[in-house]
Amino acid sequence: MEFTSSLAILNSQTPFLLEKRIKLLKEIAIVGSISKAAKNVPMSYKTAWEAIDTINNLCPEKVVTKETGGVGGGGAKLTPYGKNLIETYEKVQYEHEKFLKTLSNLTDFNTGSLKSLRRINMQLSTRNQIQGVVELINKGGVNSEVFIKLKSGYTLVAIITNSAVDSLDLQIEDEVTSLFKSSSVLVTTDCSLTISARNKLQGKITNITDGEVNSEVSIDIGNGDIVAAIITSDSVRSLGLKVFDEVSAVIKASDVMIGK
């Protein structure tokens, strides 16, 4: 194994996402509350909650344990893995800053090539990003089925092109990130429902953010894996959805993308 580095060139106005999320973790360790930590960062409570879901999804172990609660937003604390994550970040950040100081002295940021690299740098808007391990690849004539074992214990199936499998150089036991839009997730209260969609992940609702037209439903499918679904507010009411309800998140295999 070896260390590699991805260079992200950002405008001075662009927030550094990793740094902000680490700061959120540090504040949670101090105050023991998501809402108070969010104010100290600062970020909205909704953004903080979503950030924690994403962090837990992308790590092999839970980083933050949380309890839903009323006005105070519930309690939260870092796991031993989460504390180690912060320590590792601080060590890497120290060396990273030394590297950047040297690089800045050697580089002209006004050259055309670096401006192009800055434009290419992007953040993904996809709400659901869940880490897993490839356990099976079934190649067809044009597309392949990729079976991804999540830490929740569920297997997520993605259908991608054979050329995508080759370009990613996907192999059995590779660690990958599965990505799918929250608007592609269907929610059903009938967990025994037989459907044609390949992915049906049963879990418990942890949060519902109501909107005038659409609402976001967060579903814990186990071991810290959170799936977010955007459905109509009418659907939330007609299904009678509440926090702690058992539901199934349904995702078509063709809606799942893979990053490596």
Side-chain angles (χ1 to χ4, degrees):
M1 296 182 67
E2 61 181 11
F3 279 108
T4 60
S5 177
S6 297
L7 185 63
I9 300 172
L10 306 175
N11 291 322
S12 60
Q13 303 300 319
T14 306
F16 187 30
L17 187 60
L18 175 60
E19 184 178 332
K20 208 161 190 178
R21 287 179 174 174
I22 292 294
K23 186 175 181 182
L24 175 64
L25 295 181
K26 288 181 178 179
E27 290 295 336
I28 288 173
I30 295 169
V31 301
S33 162
I34 298 173
S35 59
K36 291 179 182 177
K39 289 178 183 176
N40 292 343
V41 171
M43 64 172 64
S44 71
Y45 177 68
K46 181 177 184 295
T47 300
W49 188 280
E50 290 177 356
I52 292 166
D53 285 347
T54 299
I55 292 167
N56 279 337
N57 281 349
L58 293 176
C59 292
E61 297 180 28
K62 267 193 176 183
V63 174
V64 177
T65 58
K66 56 191 178 183
E67 298 176 359
T68 54
V71 178
K77 64 179 181 179
L78 295 187
T79 64
Y81 185 90
K83 294 175 182 177
N84 180 261
L85 192 68
I86 291 176
E87 291 176 5
T88 301
Y89 171 82
E90 289 176 339
K91 291 175 184 176
V92 173
Q93 181 66 9
Y94 173 75
E95 296 298 330
H96 184 244
E97 287 175 358
K98 285 172 58 179
F99 164 74
L100 288 180
K101 285 179 182 178
T102 302
L103 184 64
S104 295
N105 292 331
L106 299 173
T107 306
D108 180 5
F109 278 86
N110 292 318
T111 61
S113 297
L114 284 173
K115 286 183 178 179
S116 296
L117 288 174
R118 185 173 58 194
R119 286 194 292 267
I120 292 170
N121 178 65
M122 294 184 299
Q123 292 179 9
L124 290 173
S125 62
T126 306
R127 176 70 172 85
N128 293 296
Q129 304 174 38
I130 305 179
Q131 187 189 42
V133 176
V134 176
E135 61 179 2
L136 179 65
I137 301 173
N138 282 339
K139 274 201 171 184
V142 177
N143 296 324
S144 294
E145 291 180 323
V146 182
F147 294 74
I148 305 165
K149 189 75 169 183
L150 308 180
K151 67 176 183 282
S152 60
Y154 283 106
T155 295
L156 190 69
V157 182
I159 294 178
I160 62 176
T161 63
N162 291 335
S163 60
V165 172
D166 294 336
S167 64
L168 289 169
D169 190 26
L170 284 184
Q171 306 291 332
I172 305 299
E173 296 188 358
D174 277 355
E175 286 193 357
V176 296
T177 301
S178 53
L179 307 103
F180 48 94
K181 295 179 180 179
S182 53
S183 56
S184 299
V185 182
L186 305 178
V187 178
T188 175
T189 55
D190 186 356
C191 297
S192 63
L193 183 67
T194 302
I195 53 174
S196 59
R198 296 297 302 273
N199 299 300
K200 190 175 77 168
L201 313 175
Q202 188 172 340
K204 185 179 294 185
I205 295 176
T206 59
N207 190 55
I208 300 175
T209 303
D210 294 314
E212 188 174 341
V213 178
N214 294 319
S215 296
E216 183 180 82
V217 181
S218 298
I219 304 164
D220 188 338
I221 61 172
N223 205 17
D225 279 345
I226 303 292
V227 173
I230 296 291
I231 61 176
T232 65
S233 298
D234 284 342
S235 295
V236 172
R237 288 188 287 270
S238 64
L239 290 170
L241 297 183
K242 304 182 300 297
V243 172
F244 302 128
D245 280 356
E246 294 280 349
V247 296
S248 287
V250 179
I251 310 111
K252 292 181 180 178
S254 56
D255 287 333
V256 180
M257 298 172 284
I258 295 176
K260 182 181 176 185

